[in-house]
Amino acid sequence: MSKNKPTLPQGTRDFDPSTVRKRRYIFDTLREVFELYGYQPLETPAMENLDTLMGKYGEEGDKLIFKILNNGLGDPKNIEKSKTAFERVLEGKNDTDLTERALRYDLTIPFARFVAMNHNTLTFPFRRYQMQPVWRADRPQKGRYREFYQCDADVVGSYSLINEVELASIYYTAFKKLGINVEIRINNRKILAALAEVCGGADKLTGITVAIDKLDKIGLAGVTQELAQRGLSDIQVTTIEKYLGLAGSNEEKLDALKALIATSATGATGIAELETILNYPGSPVMTVDLTLARGLNYYTGAIFEIKALDYQIGSIGGGGRYDDLTGTFGVPGIPGVGISFGVDRIYDVMEGLNLFPADVHTGARILFFNLGEAEAKAAFGLLQQLRAKGIAAELYHETAKFDKQFKYAEKKGIPYIVILGSEELATSTVKRKDLTTGRQETLTFEQLLTSLL
């Protein structure tokens, strides 16, 4: 009887101990920065009700939501009901008989749902950070996975632009700690809304932003072609081409933009907000990127995107303001703004540029050789005393040749070995060897337990 070769679903990965330690380094660094800025931890379920997620991410995003089939669809008793439900889905209609739940697409919408459910007990402004996996039915490729972690920081209950300045500062501080050189890009959805107004009306905003958001993938020619397919006239497409072509310093871009969308009060507000954020005391250096659209329907103000400068990969962070996200859950009037870190891409950047510190692999610091039953028992007693002092250590699992135990220590990156043989046992001493320097010394049991390693 043949056995199937074990495989993983496309777009998912196992993480070996070395990888987990590196990822934990990223998580711990981000957590330290979030806490430094006064943000509190939050966790939400892996699945949400489907109606919580649908309609929040734009037409492209909604297609990438992983839906969960209802229980009992394979039951012969429900076969006709299941068949009818599938037929309705094939016709482009959702059916609650088929699916009522889905895996979360991001952390922002679940957070908004949490705030809507708990707004009577929260203290506003409410600052939270969240580090959990999300799922997207995307096509897997380098830097893009179907299961990946996000780390978000959001503040709700405040319209103040100080929040945008602080979130940009969180980006700056976190990436500086991680050693990644980044460009913090910023735009404003009010400016994109103004562009839509100039091009014929607010109803064109979604089509314009979705097309502009693809600029890096399909180029300017592809964007103009898509805009034309979405019903924009040649004059309107030309206006958007001029918009996408604005260049120069931040000041020069904004000055040119004022002339292009001069007739829009919404655009003037968006420009003023950008100028406030860019010029606020202590604000980190940011680049105005007018091509930045982030085609998600819920953004209403400033939008951010982070690019690594020394490594070719997609954005490693992004976010923005969403002034009425909880309104979709029947709780209007709670403004919010947040950012997200793409941990999996951050890992790829740090691995590619060799940015992880040398001690990130540190596990056990000492390996006791196993040289016999009596010797192992004595070694285990010392081992437990070291662990009680907070020193990570282990005992080789069985009696074996020195060479085998040495190789085990080397492969695991354990810096010290301790030899406790019959001679050492008789004199209550051990031999401790530093594998990084080759230095060996004889210590009493007490010296081993009190010496600084």
Side-chain angles (χ1 to χ4, degrees):
M1 181 178 177
S2 62
K3 293 184 178 180
N4 292 329
K5 183 179 179 181
T7 61
L8 282 172
Q10 279 193 321
T12 67
R13 298 152 295 159
D14 289 321
F15 299 119
D16 62 24
S18 174
T19 304
V20 171
R21 291 187 185 281
K22 291 176 180 177
R23 287 167 61 85
R24 186 180 297 164
Y25 173 77
I26 297 173
F27 290 133
D28 289 347
T29 300
L30 296 180
R31 184 180 294 107
E32 178 184 329
V33 175
F34 294 150
E35 295 279 355
L36 182 67
Y37 279 78
Y39 285 70
Q40 301 179 75
L42 179 70
E43 293 186 357
T44 59
M47 70 177 77
E48 295 280 349
N49 290 323
L50 186 60
D51 58 6
T52 296
L53 303 179
M54 292 298 291
K56 312 299 192 306
Y57 303 108
E59 59 182 88
E60 298 295 325
D62 281 355
K63 295 175 184 177
L64 303 183
I65 293 175
F66 266 116
K67 299 175 183 177
I68 301 171
L69 294 179
N70 291 343
N71 296 340
L73 284 179
D75 191 327
K77 297 178 182 177
N78 297 330
I79 193 67
E80 288 301 322
K81 184 178 181 181
S82 300
K83 182 180 177 182
T84 302
F86 274 109
E87 289 173 348
R88 284 199 286 261
V89 170
L90 290 174
E91 294 172 359
K93 303 171 184 176
N94 189 49
D95 195 292
T96 56
D97 289 335
L98 185 66
T99 174
E100 297 176 306
R101 295 171 295 277
L103 296 177
R104 59 172 172 251
Y105 177 94
D106 71 355
L107 300 180
T108 302
I109 296 299
F111 172 56
R113 189 263 311 147
F114 170 84
V115 172
M117 290 179 66
N118 297 278
H119 66 281
N120 288 326
T121 60
L122 294 175
T123 300
F124 293 107
F126 178 61
R127 299 165 177 247
R128 85 84 168 83
Y129 68 89
Q130 190 170 348
M131 297 189 281
Q132 290 184 281
V134 298
W135 294 267
R136 296 183 186 178
D138 212 341
R139 179 177 297 175
Q141 55 185 284
K142 183 179 180 181
R144 189 182 293 274
Y145 308 101
R146 287 176 172 170
E147 178 186 63
F148 58 97
Y149 264 76
Q150 283 186 342
C151 292
D152 283 13
D154 290 75
V155 53
V156 293
S158 172
Y159 290 100
S160 173
L161 295 177
I162 294 175
N163 297 305
E164 277 84 341
V165 175
E166 283 204 329
L167 289 169
S169 298
I170 286 175
Y171 269 142
Y172 173 82
T173 304
F175 285 115
K176 185 177 181 180
K177 284 180 174 290
L178 293 171
I180 303 175
N181 294 320
V182 299
E183 180 180 50
I184 304 174
R185 300 181 180 181
I186 188 171
N187 196 9
N188 195 296
R189 288 280 291 201
K190 291 183 177 70
I191 290 171
L192 292 164
L195 182 64
E197 288 177 20
V198 172
C199 290
D203 61 308
K204 299 184 183 295
L205 175 59
T206 299
I208 291 172
T209 54
V210 169
I212 291 176
D213 203 33
K214 298 178 182 177
L215 183 63
D216 288 343
K217 297 178 183 178
I218 63 178
L220 182 59
V223 171
T224 57
Q225 182 179 0
E226 180 163 333
L227 289 169
Q229 291 172 348
R230 289 178 176 274
L232 275 76
S233 68
D234 290 344
I235 294 176
Q236 292 167 344
V237 171
T238 299
T239 299
I240 294 172
E241 286 179 326
K242 289 180 181 178
Y243 170 86
L244 295 176
L246 297 180
S249 66
N250 288 343
E251 293 78 9
E252 289 169 337
K253 290 175 187 174
L254 294 180
D255 285 343
L257 186 61
K258 290 173 184 176
L260 185 64
I261 58 175
T263 59
S264 172
T266 301
T269 301
I271 294 171
E273 289 179 359
L274 276 186
E275 290 175 333
T276 298
I277 296 167
L278 293 168
N279 299 320
Y280 205 85
S283 180
V285 174
M286 288 174 267
T287 300
V288 173
D289 182 358
L290 298 176
T291 70
L292 176 57
R294 298 196 63 80
L296 299 177
N297 286 342
Y298 54 67
Y299 288 125
T300 59
I303 47 179
F304 297 98
E305 189 167 89
I306 308 299
K307 291 283 187 178
L309 294 177
D310 305 321
Y311 192 82
Q312 188 65 37
I313 200 169
S315 64
I316 58 176
R321 176 165 284 278
Y322 45 91
D323 276 341
D324 193 30
L325 198 58
T326 56
T328 63
F329 300 111
V331 185
I334 301 180
V337 58
I339 57 173
S340 181
F341 289 79
V343 169
D344 295 279
R345 288 186 178 181
I346 292 172
Y347 176 95
D348 289 344
V349 172
M350 295 187 68
E351 186 75 358
L353 298 177
N354 195 27
L355 295 177
F356 288 104
D359 62 358
V360 76
H361 299 286
T362 301
R365 298 185 64 191
I366 299 173
L367 173 68
F368 283 83
F369 276 24
N370 191 325
L371 303 177
E373 185 176 352
E375 293 86 346
K377 288 179 179 178
F380 191 78
L382 293 171
L383 170 70
Q384 292 293 74
Q385 292 181 68
L386 284 171
R387 287 171 171 167
K389 293 176 178 291
I391 297 173
E394 60 179 285
L395 170 67
Y396 194 75
H397 69 109
E398 63 184 5
T399 303
K401 293 181 179 179
F402 267 47
D403 183 59
K404 187 175 183 179
Q405 300 189 56
F406 265 117
K407 286 181 178 177
Y408 177 83
E410 290 172 351
K411 287 181 178 179
K412 292 194 67 176
I414 299 174
Y416 294 96
I417 61 167
V418 171
I419 298 171
L420 201 169
S422 57
E423 293 182 11
E424 288 80 17
L425 186 57
T427 58
S428 297
T429 61
V430 299
K431 289 186 175 68
R432 187 183 69 188
K433 185 172 184 177
D434 184 339
L435 296 184
T436 58
T437 65
R439 180 172 179 259
Q440 181 171 300
E441 57 187 334
T442 299
L443 303 172
T444 66
F445 288 177
E446 186 63 28
Q447 287 173 329
L448 175 67
L449 296 173
T450 57
S451 60
L452 296 176
L453 302 178

